[in-house]
Amino acid sequence: MKVRKAVIVAAGLGTRMLPASKVIPKEILPVVDKPAIQVVVEEAIASGIEEIILVLSPGRTTVHDHFQPATELERHLEQRGKLDMLDFIRRTNNPVRFTTAWQEMPLGLGHAVLQAQEAVGNEPFAVMLPDDIFDGPVPCLRQLLDVAEARDAPTVALLRVPRTEIPKYGIVSVRSVESRLYELTGMVEKPPIEEAPSEFAIMGRYVLTPDIFALLVEGKPGAGGEIQLTDGLLALSQRRKLYGYEFQGTRYDLGDRLGFLTAQIGFGLKRPELADSLRRWLKSALRESESGR
Ligand code: G1P
């Protein structure tokens, strides 16, 4: 299969990051100095994606606006000779073809993905959830695409999570195929710890085939009364082979306060102009906090 399109779901209410997300969509909150949505779009482009379908909720157009030209700001930067900043800003102007789909009601992730059906059409596509961002030598989506293309089958990202975190995720049961690669034999959304089939959680990167749409249409509300993508995946796995890949790299959960903080530090330490000063500050902050205990 050849995957050209990625659906990025940015329609959530962001309740876990309130009050920061009261006015600003959580996808616009920064990772160092880039909105999370831009980090995800850059991952898509680096993975070879040619078209992005943003699923947004009504009234929350800021995510889309971020990728539009900002004429006044550009003129200002040009006049002041701030050419490096001008270059940064211009790089966010439609770096790839964008389409927007709307999720009128917050009826769940499966329902959000379904809103992209018309824009996706009858071809395989990726789904990216901007709460999850990744750092590693090969973009997480590219790693999944390599598996999906080689096996000609839908593939999702997997991460082993501590048992206490199991109820936050879609959890899969697996049959090992080769190093890091599993065939998915079952899955359940946000199970209680004692009912979890494994410690493998689905992370927010998926490569899917368009037959998932019909299964989402048929889908009944699941965990939390929402139409769950995980339930659609389970139905899909009963019709065709579905793989899970334990990706290589670090994942941050931007929808969570600790994940948001560690992402700033993790990505900050990767920035050559910030790394030395940040490392020095971290060392002294740690010493101070430990001596104050
Ligand atoms: C969603 C999915 C869940 C997956 C998670 C990854 O949950 O429903 O299966 O494990 O993303 O981040 P949410 O974070 O929207 O509650």
Side-chain angles (χ1 to χ4, degrees):
M1 67 166 76
K2 169 86 179 98
V3 179
R4 302 185 305 122
K5 298 179 179 178
V7 174
I8 303 184
V9 178
L13 296 173
T15 48
R16 288 189 294 156
M17 283 303 281
L18 283 169
S21 55
K22 182 180 172 194
V23 176
I24 303 165
K26 63 179 171 170
E27 297 81 9
I28 292 294
L29 296 177
V31 179
V32 186
D33 53 5
K34 273 185 205 171
I37 189 74
Q38 190 181 335
V39 176
V40 176
V41 165
E42 287 178 7
E43 179 192 335
I45 295 171
S47 301
I49 293 295
E50 295 163 13
E51 179 175 339
I52 302 243
I53 299 141
L54 287 174
V55 181
L56 304 176
S57 51
R60 294 217 136 187
T61 52
T62 324
V63 174
H64 177 262
D65 295 347
H66 177 70
F67 297 101
Q68 303 308 308
T71 325
E72 275 304 312
L73 176 61
E74 285 174 30
R75 195 174 308 133
H76 173 87
L77 293 172
E78 204 161 13
Q79 280 167 359
R80 303 281 160 103
K82 296 186 173 170
L83 300 182
D84 47 349
M85 282 299 162
L86 184 63
D87 185 44
F88 280 143
I89 285 294
R90 287 204 169 135
R91 271 192 257 155
T92 63
N93 295 349
N94 290 314
V96 72
R97 193 179 132 83
F98 278 95
T99 312
T100 308
W102 300 95
Q103 187 188 28
E104 302 287 339
M105 308 268 281
L107 297 180
L109 177 58
H111 179 262
V113 170
L114 196 50
Q115 308 315 305
Q117 179 172 14
E118 202 183 312
V120 168
N122 193 27
E123 57 181 289
F125 63 104
V127 171
M128 307 174 83
L129 309 184
D131 268 1
D132 291 321
I133 57 164
F134 300 88
D135 183 32
V138 180
C140 181
L141 181 61
R142 187 62 252 166
Q143 296 179 43
L144 291 194
L145 287 168
D146 287 343
V147 174
E149 287 169 3
R151 305 246 159 200
D152 199 27
T155 307
V156 306
L158 294 182
L159 179 71
R160 275 178 222 262
V161 297
R163 281 180 64 74
T164 49
E165 296 211 354
I166 279 174
K168 286 166 58 178
Y169 298 106
I171 304 291
V172 297
S173 49
V174 298
R175 193 172 60 72
S176 179
V177 176
E178 59 185 45
S179 171
R180 295 186 172 274
L181 183 64
Y182 300 87
E183 193 184 323
L184 304 188
T185 53
M187 62 213 74
V188 50
E189 181 67 14
K190 301 189 171 67
I193 297 175
E194 58 286 356
E195 283 170 30
S198 77
E199 289 168 6
F200 275 121
I202 304 175
M203 291 296 121
R205 297 291 181 277
Y206 310 73
V207 179
L208 301 176
T209 43
D211 42 344
I212 186 90
F213 290 124
L215 302 171
L216 290 171
V217 170
E218 286 164 20
K220 306 250 173 323
E226 298 185 338
I227 305 281
Q228 295 292 352
L229 182 58
T230 304
D231 296 339
L233 289 174
L234 177 63
L236 191 66
S237 73
Q238 286 153 0
R239 285 168 175 75
R240 53 154 80 223
K241 278 202 171 154
L242 179 57
Y243 291 97
Y245 184 68
E246 206 182 350
F247 62 88
Q248 307 191 45
T250 307
R251 171 258 184 178
Y252 299 95
D253 178 3
L254 285 187
D256 166 270
R257 288 169 170 76
L258 183 62
F260 182 79
L261 276 176
T262 51
Q264 310 304 325
I265 297 168
F267 277 84
L269 288 170
K270 291 284 170 77
R271 293 275 289 263
E273 77 281 20
L274 300 176
D276 284 346
S277 315
L278 180 57
R279 206 174 291 121
R280 267 198 303 278
W281 182 85
L282 279 170
K283 278 184 188 155
S284 85
L286 277 176
R287 266 199 307 273
E288 213 170 285
S289 108
E290 270 156 21
S291 67
R293 269 182 173 180

